[in-house]
Amino acid sequence: MSSTETHDADANGTPGFLPGFVLRDAVEPDLPTIVTIYNAIIPGRMVTADLEPVTVESRRPWFVAHQNPMRPLWVAVDPHGTVAAWLSFDTFYPRAAYDGSAMLAIYVAESHRRRGLGRALLQTAIGRAPQLGLHTLLGYIFGHNEPSLRLFDSFHFKRWGHLPCVAVLDGVERDLIITGRRLTS
């Protein structure tokens, strides 16, 4: 996908994606909803290390960085035209030798959870990653986030790293698990 690419989406959604949903590159008007989905996750202390809500303005540089076609930010739009989830390909480490590796971030609106949307996003990311020049995908997942660990495990991500007690959330030390998957072309 690219920002200028159009899709043959019909009433059933984007071909090859979850029926009824359209998968597309995020555009500027999506940013407030992306931030709302992200901020709704923060109080649960299970997905992100942010402890306070972020602002649209504070996320603007991150959004601009994802206008790079090799590090896209995708949104899944439900049949009513609402952004229901998003996925970003984030730079793993800003050195040229690591350009073929990216960290994935997946966030689903509470109203759309447990419907297969995170699974569909991850599956699509794995399938399209080689077109983005990627050979390795990573997930940084808190050790107590069992649903995300199970999701990545189900797509053959392996646990490549375990950083014990590196995060403190409300006075509780939390582990970070680094999951990874090498892709074949």
Side-chain angles (χ1 to χ4, degrees), residues 1-2 25 68-74 87-90 99-102 104 124-135 137 183:
M1 276 184 297
S2 70
D25 288 337
N68 174 349
M70 304 311 274
R71 292 293 183 271
L73 169 60
W74 296 340
L87 178 142
S88 64
F89 289 85
D90 296 315
D99 285 350
S101 299
L104 298 178
T124 303
I126 292 166
R128 294 186 184 177
Q131 298 166 26
L132 303 174
L134 298 171
H135 55 71
L137 296 176
L183 305 173

Side-chain angles (χ1 to χ4, degrees), residues 47-178:
V47 179
T48 180
D50 275 319
L51 302 175
E52 299 294 330
V54 300
T55 65
V56 170
E57 198 54 42
S58 73
R59 295 304 282 169
R60 203 167 303 282
W62 168 84
F63 178 84
V64 169
H66 283 86
Q67 299 311 294
N68 174 349
M70 304 311 274
R71 292 293 183 271
L73 169 60
W74 296 340
V75 292
V77 181
D78 73 12
H80 304 290
T82 302
V83 172
W86 57 269
L87 178 142
S88 64
F89 289 85
D90 296 315
T91 297
F92 162 63
Y93 196 75
R95 302 288 188 273
Y98 296 111
D99 285 350
S101 299
M103 185 192 74
L104 298 178
I106 301 171
Y107 289 84
V108 180
E110 188 171 356
S111 60
H112 288 80
R113 289 188 200 141
R114 293 175 177 54
R115 297 184 187 183
L117 201 45
R119 176 171 293 283
L121 283 166
L122 183 54
Q123 181 173 12
T124 303
I126 292 166
R128 294 186 184 177
Q131 298 166 26
L132 303 174
L134 298 171
H135 55 71
T136 303
L137 296 176
L138 301 162
Y140 291 9
I141 305 170
F142 283 134
H144 64 290
N145 185 347
E146 286 298 326
S148 290
L149 287 169
R150 281 193 305 272
L151 173 62
F152 277 71
D153 287 347
S154 75
F155 282 96
H156 308 290
F157 280 73
K158 301 298 178 206
R159 296 184 187 197
W160 288 353
H162 180 174
L163 296 107
C165 303
V166 295
V168 179
L169 303 172
D170 297 331
V172 179
E173 292 180 330
R174 297 295 187 175
D175 299 351
L176 181 68
I177 308 299
I178 300 171

Side-chain angles (χ1 to χ4, degrees), residues 3-48:
S3 298
T4 57
E5 184 177 337
T6 58
H7 303 281
D8 294 328
D10 56 21
N12 296 320
T14 298
F17 192 63
L18 200 62
F21 284 81
V22 173
L23 181 66
R24 62 170 171 76
D25 288 337
V27 293
E28 184 81 20
D30 297 326
L31 187 55
T33 304
I34 289 167
V35 168
T36 297
I37 292 169
Y38 183 81
N39 283 338
I41 300 289
I42 294 172
R45 302 294 194 250
M46 198 151 101
V47 179
T48 180

